[in-house]
Amino acid sequence: MSTMTVDKGAPTRKVKYGSMSRDRAWALRWSYFFLTLFAIFSLVPPIYMLITSLKSSAEISAATNPWWVFHPTLSNYIELLTSNQFLTFFRSSW
């Protein structure tokens, strides 16, 4: 029969709950912060273009809130799609 000895002088390890260390959790939070910041900076110009395309020429040049459309209109799209020059260039791009 064998006997087991327990070393009382050995350092004890603290039990951590959770699957991630604290440093790794902070790194993950910072990476999500910068990814969100990058996504915002990447998406602002196309959103601004869409908002501006729904405004009339007078509303674009007015000194009002540039992010709000007071009187939305599709006249810019109608003018573009009925323009012969645009249709010619669109067909030749295929």
Side-chain angles (χ1 to χ4, degrees):
M1 196 150 121
S2 66
T3 60
M4 188 170 131
T5 59
V6 177
D7 186 12
K8 302 254 183 192
T12 58
R13 186 172 172 188
K14 221 178 195 183
V15 177
K16 291 184 180 180
Y17 296 102
S19 62
M20 210 182 303
S21 70
R22 191 173 293 185
D23 293 336
R24 187 175 168 117
W26 275 107
L28 188 64
R29 287 185 187 123
W30 278 110
S31 65
Y32 279 132
F33 171 74
F34 284 115
L35 281 171
T36 304
L37 198 65
F38 178 74
I40 289 170
F41 281 128
S42 298
L43 292 177
V44 165
I47 291 171
Y48 185 73
M49 285 186 346
L50 177 69
I51 290 170
T52 305
S53 72
L54 296 174
K55 293 180 178 184
S56 64
S57 296
E59 195 173 353
I60 290 171
S61 62
T64 59
N65 186 356
W67 292 98
W68 190 257
V69 181
F70 294 102
H71 304 288
T73 180
L74 294 175
S75 64
N76 293 326
Y77 290 105
I78 293 169
E79 186 179 333
L80 177 70
L81 294 175
T82 56
S83 168
N84 287 332
Q85 187 177 12
F86 172 76
L87 293 175
T88 303
F89 293 150
F90 184 73
R91 282 188 212 115
S92 67
S93 68
W94 288 25

